[in-house]
Amino acid sequence: MRILLVEDDPDLAAVVALGLRGEAYAVDLAATFSEAEELLCSGDFDVACIDLGLPDGDGMELVRRLADDPLLRRPRRILVLTARDAVADRVAGLDAGADDYLVKPFNFRELAARLRALNRRADDPGAVLEVADLRLDLASHRAWRGDRELRLTPREFSMLRYFMHHPGRTVSAEDLLEHVWDSQANPFTASVRVILSRLRRKLGEPPPITTIAGVGYQLEEES
């Protein structure tokens, strides 16, 4: 899952981003309204976590614009992170288009749980993906091939989830870098190849993910 974190406090942004990356989320950071606009014009995000008190604008206006501005690519879900704790502020945020509202200071475990809940909601109907003999439970972060449970790391789980959202489609290494890692990832890194190799070993034979020479990789839709 790729997350845009819009937060002007550099210390809080660094701590939250570190924690989210530890959960194998891809995280891009924006410290201002204008930086967030730029990223939302060019990138696709699963969730945007938006602080309201930004130095060059009100994050609430950004939430409103995401609902109807054709220049901005609306994330699948929006989570407001703010110190504004009045009921009127919460109502205004949800009415503006936010899917959830979390007041600072917050516990990171609660943020992670809310993101998992938003992710399940975005994956409706149901929180289980099935492609051929592969099954992925998004709520419990468990995976199976047939009757055999797979022991996947968070990054392997995220990569398999991306493939299972796009069965039969050729996925490039750049696609995986963008959606399983984030904009800080080195485009020349061997990380994609390393993680994919480990994932294939765990999936076993016959290999459900095939290589399309010179193009990328493909998850077979039938076993």
Side-chain angles (χ1 to χ4, degrees):
M1 182 163 70
R2 189 176 184 189
I3 297 172
L4 173 62
L5 177 60
V6 185
E7 172 57 61
D8 67 323
D9 181 329
D11 293 332
L12 178 59
V15 169
V16 172
L18 182 64
L20 292 176
R21 287 170 180 150
E23 298 283 329
Y25 294 127
V27 183
D28 291 279
L29 297 174
T32 65
F33 192 108
S34 58
E35 287 179 4
E37 272 188 309
E38 184 177 347
L39 287 169
L40 288 164
C41 284
S42 59
D44 293 312
F45 296 93
D46 296 294
V47 179
C49 298
I50 301 176
D51 181 23
L52 299 185
L54 300 172
D56 58 342
D58 189 344
M60 191 74 79
E61 177 60 24
L62 182 60
V63 174
R64 293 192 188 97
R65 283 185 54 198
L66 282 168
D68 54 21
D69 190 332
L71 297 178
L72 300 180
R73 301 182 183 181
R74 191 189 193 283
R76 290 194 295 169
R77 299 294 173 195
I78 298 172
L79 170 62
V80 168
L81 297 175
T82 181
R84 301 179 193 174
D85 60 355
V87 171
D89 290 319
R90 299 185 194 203
V91 170
L94 295 170
D95 283 346
D99 298 284
D100 201 355
Y101 195 105
L102 183 59
V103 175
K104 300 176 183 176
F106 54 83
N107 185 290
F108 178 79
R109 288 186 300 169
E110 182 179 1
L111 172 61
R114 286 173 181 260
L115 288 172
R116 289 194 296 271
L118 288 174
N119 189 34
R120 291 196 298 272
R121 200 186 309 172
D123 282 313
D124 284 344
V128 177
L129 297 178
E130 294 190 59
V131 176
D133 60 349
L134 293 171
R135 184 159 53 96
L136 213 61
D137 188 321
L138 301 174
S140 63
H141 271 230
R142 297 172 69 189
W144 294 264
R145 185 171 190 189
D147 295 329
R148 177 172 60 90
E149 184 166 1
L150 307 171
R151 303 296 181 183
L152 304 181
T153 66
R155 188 74 70 186
E156 292 162 357
F157 186 93
S158 295
M159 180 177 282
L160 182 57
R161 175 180 176 272
Y162 186 75
F163 273 112
M164 292 180 69
H165 271 300
H166 304 90
R169 193 188 99 178
T170 300
V171 174
S172 69
E174 290 75 17
D175 290 330
L176 293 170
L177 274 174
E178 181 178 356
H179 293 280
V180 182
W181 280 263
D182 52 46
S183 63
Q184 302 303 310
N186 182 347
F188 302 106
T189 184
S191 296
V192 169
R193 189 169 63 251
V194 170
I195 299 298
L196 181 57
S197 176
R198 289 195 335 217
L199 175 60
R200 280 170 154 169
R201 284 200 303 271
K202 292 182 180 182
L203 291 174
E205 297 292 338
I209 299 174
T210 57
T211 299
I212 310 299
V215 180
Y217 314 95
Q218 188 176 90
L219 176 64
E220 302 294 336
E221 296 185 80
E222 298 181 1
S223 55

